[in-house]
Amino acid sequence: MSLATWEKSEFTSATITRDTYRKGSGPVVIVVHEIPGITPAVERFADDVVNAGFTVVMPDLVGTAGQEVSGKYIASSMAKVCISREFTTMALGQTSPIISWLRALARSLHNEVGGRGVGAIGMCFSGGFALGMMVDDIMVAPVLSQPSLPFSIGKKRGADLNLSPDDAAVVAQRAAQGCEVLGLRFDQDKLVGDRFASLRALLGDAFIAIELPSTSKKDHSVLTEQRDEASVQKVLDFLTQKLH
C-alpha cells in the first residue's frame, strides 16, 4: 500500500487544515508535491530525502495521496488548484495564501525537532513556495523545482515569482545575507517561463541554478516523473550542507 510507512496526521493554521505525512528523523524538510498530488514518484523522492537523514513531512494539498498519474487525474487536480483561493494561479505580485500555512507548519516542526533550520522543496505549482517561506529565517534550505505559478500565460506571468513586493524585499535581503536557493528545471519547459531570469535578478549569486537540456516536450518534473538522478543527488547534497 502506498504511503503505508508514513505517519498520517493533520495540521491547522488560521482557517486551513491539511493532512500531512511524516517519516524519518533528523532536521526537518518539507516536501510539497506537484500536480496532481502525492504520487508514487513523489513518495519515492521523499523516501530518498528520509534515507539521507531527515525528518520529512509531505503536506497533502490537492489530489488523492498515493494515486498514480493519469491525464484525467492531472486535469482534475489542475481544476481544483485553479479555483482554490489558497493558490495564486494568475495574479501578479502576490504571495499565495497557502505559503502562510506552510510557514506555520515549518515553525511548528522546527520548534519540535530543532536544529539549524528547516528545508523545503516545491515542485511545479508549488515550486516557488519555498521562496515565500524564506520570509522566516528558519528557512535555510529552499529548493525550487520547475516553479510554475502564476501559470505562464503571457510574458509577465511567466516571469512572476508569486511573491508580494514586501515578501520579495525580505527574500532579497536574506539572499544578500547568504541564504542560498537551489533551482531546477528543464531548459525548454514552458511552464517555468522566464522565472529563472527573475530569480537571478532577485537573488544574485545566492541563486544556484540546475538547468537540464530538454529531450522531450514532456520534460517537466526533474525530481519525479522525468526524474534525473544527478539532480536528485544535488538536492540531497544541498540539504545536507545546509541542515546537518
Side-chain angles (χ1 to χ4, degrees), residues 1 26 32 55 77-78 110 128 144 152 225 239:
M1 177 182 175
V32 192
T55 299
S77 292
M78 179 73 80
H110 183 59
L144 286 57
S152 301
E225 299 302 326
L239 296 172

Side-chain angles (χ1 to χ4, degrees), residues 76-184:
S76 172
S77 292
M78 179 73 80
K80 291 175 182 177
V81 168
C82 286
I83 64 174
S84 173
R85 294 182 180 179
E86 294 171 8
F87 311 110
T88 306
T89 59
M90 296 297 288
L92 301 174
Q94 294 186 21
T95 302
S96 284
I98 195 66
I99 293 177
S100 294
W101 182 89
L102 289 167
R103 289 169 56 195
L105 175 65
R107 289 193 298 269
S108 175
L109 291 166
H110 183 59
N111 287 339
E112 175 195 343
V113 176
R116 296 169 63 180
V118 302
I121 302 162
M123 318 173 193
C124 181
F125 85 104
S126 72
F129 290 178
L131 195 68
M133 295 170 73
M134 277 178 67
V135 170
D136 294 333
D137 58 12
I138 61 168
M139 176 52 59
V140 298
V143 179
L144 286 57
S145 191
Q146 75 266 10
S148 304
L149 281 191
F151 292 132
S152 301
I153 301 172
K155 199 164 186 178
K156 287 185 177 180
R157 288 192 180 90
D160 191 86
L161 295 178
N162 201 208
L163 290 175
S164 69
D166 287 347
D167 286 350
V170 175
V171 167
Q173 182 181 26
R174 291 213 56 220
Q177 293 169 345
C179 183
E180 293 182 318
V181 178
L182 181 64
L184 307 98

Side-chain angles (χ1 to χ4, degrees), residues 170-204:
V170 175
V171 167
Q173 182 181 26
R174 291 213 56 220
Q177 293 169 345
C179 183
E180 293 182 318
V181 178
L182 181 64
L184 307 98
R185 69 161 182 165
F186 287 102
D187 61 4
Q188 299 301 312
D189 186 351
K190 293 182 179 180
L191 294 176
V192 178
D194 294 325
R195 289 190 183 91
F196 271 42
S198 299
L199 287 164
R200 289 186 175 95
L202 180 69
L203 304 172

